[in-house]
Amino acid sequence: QISDPEACDQMYESLVRIHTNFYKNKYPRLKDTTFTGVTVEDCRMILATDILKQMEDMKKGTWKRLREKFSAKKPEEDSK
């Protein structure tokens, strides 16, 4: 049993509005940009390349990552 049916109905109506994008339709955006002014497509492109790099790093084994880390010498070390 529900102790407070009015509060339950209010929460349900709120969830319905969120699910149906009520406020998105009521207050449409003039431009499809983010806070920084970057378009949604640019954000997706940036996120996609970052995720691809992370996935490539995850595919490498631990020993391969360690070998790459220690085999890369700095130019200062070569001159000594």
Side-chain angles (χ1 to χ4, degrees):
Q1 292 184 355
I2 300 171
S3 61
D4 191 6
E6 289 180 22
C8 181
D9 289 340
Q10 287 177 347
M11 283 190 245
Y12 177 76
E13 291 299 322
S14 176
L15 289 172
V16 167
R17 285 191 300 269
I18 290 170
H19 177 70
T20 59
N21 290 326
F22 176 79
Y23 293 107
K24 180 181 178 186
N25 297 328
K26 185 176 180 180
Y27 305 106
R29 298 179 67 172
L30 299 176
K31 295 181 180 178
D32 203 15
T33 60
T34 62
F35 172 74
T36 58
V38 179
T39 63
V40 175
E41 294 301 322
D42 292 341
C43 287
R44 287 184 182 151
M45 181 69 124
I46 292 168
L47 291 174
T49 56
D50 287 346
I51 290 174
L52 287 174
K53 289 178 185 175
Q54 289 177 0
M55 292 297 286
E56 288 175 7
D57 288 341
M58 287 173 57
K59 287 180 184 177
K60 294 180 183 177
T62 306
W63 292 111
K64 190 171 184 177
R65 275 186 266 150
L66 286 173
R67 188 172 44 209
E68 288 177 1
K69 183 178 178 180
F70 290 111
S71 67
K73 293 183 180 179
K74 296 179 182 177
E76 300 158 359
E77 294 174 359
D78 291 340
S79 63
K80 289 182 181 178

